[in-house]
Amino acid sequence: MIETGSLIRSLSGRRAARNFHTFVINEIGHAIVTGAFSIGSVLASDALMMEQYGVSRTVLREALKTLEAKGLVEARPKVGTRVSPRSRWNFFDPQVLAWHYYAAPDPELYQSLFRVRGALEAPMIALASRHRTAEHVRLLKYWCHQMETAGDSIEQFGLACLEVHGVIAESGRDPLLRSTLGVVELTLALALTRDQAMPSASYRDKAAALFVELTAAIEGGQAEAAAQLYEACRQLDQSQTV
């Protein structure tokens, strides 16, 4: 599984360590999501892909099994491995989401991402306001400070912002809500690099200030105020993307 934060790190050109298995998964998955391998098409034969990617049959087969588990492909006897319809893709898979960063802009998908963020993170904010501990608050303040002092580093800002979302998820004591972090990471990456409404530095300053206020509201157990501030954060991100 892709590590949380990998997409944000890639924005600064940093490449994650990878093995042959992850390399093949990324190459084929990226090609499917970006449209290089069209929906309904049949992938090349095992022999051709083994030569193209420089891997063994075992590595290739394991990679294809992983992609099938993500809903991207389907192996059919006497036909081969076919690219599945988008309706079968697992959009909560962080790697599938990350590949969409490199695809052509899709306003409908972006709107869906922000609807999901609103639906899943809103109750998380309420739970965090109720269950936060002193350690959670300390971590929130630390990561907010990292956002404020990130300067021109998109990576530092994005990772710190993602950590804030993660701490809020942890403090809410609901492990399933943490699954929204893949959605959050993609929307953050888009907001940090595809902004049109304002310069990126202005966006980062506004976002950091909102998260400082949100942290204070969570610390004070002010669920209603926290919910309003979170919604302002979400709308700010959305204004940079959709």
Side-chain angles (χ1 to χ4, degrees):
M1 175 175 286
I2 188 172
E3 178 186 357
T4 300
S6 294
L7 175 57
I8 297 294
R9 292 186 184 91
S10 73
L11 301 181
S12 61
R14 192 199 308 188
R15 293 183 177 274
R18 64 188 184 188
N19 54 36
F20 286 120
H21 180 250
T22 58
F23 168 72
V24 176
I25 291 171
N26 187 67
E27 289 294 300
I28 298 176
H30 181 281
I32 291 172
V33 173
T34 58
F37 294 164
S38 60
I39 290 173
S41 64
V42 177
L43 300 184
S45 67
D46 285 3
L48 286 175
M49 287 195 287
M50 287 162 57
E51 181 179 357
Q52 178 180 355
Y53 301 120
V55 296
S56 67
R57 185 179 301 275
T58 299
V59 170
L60 177 63
R61 289 287 176 86
E62 288 301 315
L64 291 175
K65 285 181 181 178
T66 299
L67 290 167
E68 189 166 15
K70 296 175 185 292
L72 295 182
V73 299
E74 179 183 6
R76 296 183 178 181
K78 300 182 181 180
V79 175
T81 302
R82 188 183 298 275
V83 178
S84 301
R86 289 185 84 224
S87 59
R88 297 184 184 177
W89 298 2
N90 179 7
F91 280 90
F92 274 99
D93 184 293
Q95 200 164 22
V96 174
L97 286 169
W99 288 323
H100 277 84
Y101 175 81
Y102 303 99
D106 185 346
E108 289 188 1
L109 173 63
Y110 299 163
Q111 290 173 356
S112 178
L113 291 170
F114 283 103
R115 279 196 299 270
V116 169
R117 271 189 59 176
L120 294 182
E121 287 201 304
M124 192 160 61
I125 297 296
L127 289 169
S129 299
R130 185 186 313 163
H131 298 301
R132 80 277 181 251
T133 65
E135 178 62 10
H136 290 137
V137 172
R138 184 190 71 79
L139 287 171
L140 287 172
K141 290 181 177 180
Y142 171 80
W143 289 115
C144 282
H145 179 68
Q146 293 299 306
M147 291 173 66
E148 291 178 307
T149 58
D152 293 330
S153 174
I154 290 178
E155 180 179 335
Q156 180 180 325
F157 180 91
L159 290 175
C161 189
L162 193 59
E163 288 288 350
V164 170
H165 285 272
V167 174
I168 291 173
E170 292 288 348
S171 62
R173 299 182 184 177
D174 191 323
L176 290 181
L177 289 179
R178 191 176 175 84
S179 65
T180 193
L181 286 182
V183 173
V184 171
E185 183 169 6
L186 176 54
T187 58
L188 280 175
L190 292 169
L192 285 167
T193 59
R194 301 189 182 185
D195 55 323
Q196 299 294 328
M198 65 183 81
S200 184
S202 177
Y203 156 72
R204 295 198 301 268
D205 288 344
K206 289 187 176 184
L210 282 170
F211 273 109
V212 169
E213 291 185 63
L214 175 59
T215 294
I218 290 174
E219 181 180 19
Q222 301 169 339
E224 185 174 342
Q228 292 175 352
L229 287 163
Y230 161 72
E231 181 59 22
C233 294
R234 188 181 71 87
Q235 288 183 3
L236 178 63
D237 287 350
Q238 188 167 3
S239 71
Q240 297 296 105
T241 305
V242 179

